[in-house]
Amino acid sequence: GPTVYAPSHMGHARTYLGFDIIRRIMELHFGYDVTLVMNITDIDDKIIARSAEQDISHLELSNKFELEFHEDMRALGVAPPTVLTRVTEYMDEIP
């Protein structure tokens, strides 16, 4: 999944459209039950730096761009992932 510190770009579109096409082919043509898991990187050095530049919290910044990312994917017709996780949900497990 994306690191959400700036607006989505063509690289995001290409990546997630590609995964969506593969998933649809596997499900609709071959009959597989596909579980697509996407992780949102909602905290990292870029997010911390960008939020400091804008004098907002890292969560405010990452939430804004995560919402924009999901809106962009919907506009492209990309089906949402089966499971969506965020790095901040697993901080205790990260060494």
Side-chain angles (χ1 to χ4, degrees):
T3 301
V4 287
Y5 68 97
S8 296
H9 52 73
M10 290 303 292
H12 291 139
R14 182 195 165 282
T15 298
Y16 302 110
L17 278 168
F19 278 113
D20 190 56
I21 291 166
I22 292 168
R23 174 172 58 172
R24 289 172 195 246
I25 290 169
M26 292 181 73
E27 289 177 340
L28 301 174
H29 184 70
F30 293 107
Y32 288 104
D33 182 23
V34 177
T35 300
L36 180 67
V37 179
M38 177 186 289
N39 181 67
I40 302 289
T41 301
D42 60 346
I43 185 72
D44 79 344
D45 294 342
K46 291 177 185 176
I47 293 170
I48 293 167
R50 183 73 47 93
S51 65
E53 290 169 7
Q54 297 182 16
D55 196 30
I56 59 176
S57 74
H58 69 277
L59 289 175
E60 187 176 351
L61 181 87
S62 61
N63 287 340
K64 173 185 187 279
F65 288 117
E66 180 182 346
L67 287 173
E68 286 185 14
F69 168 78
H70 292 301
E71 289 171 9
D72 291 343
M73 294 305 107
R74 265 191 302 279
L76 292 170
V78 174
T82 314
V83 178
L84 181 69
T85 63
R86 292 171 188 83
V87 170
T88 53
E89 296 169 350
Y90 293 91
M91 293 299 287
D92 291 339
E93 287 90 346
I94 299 172

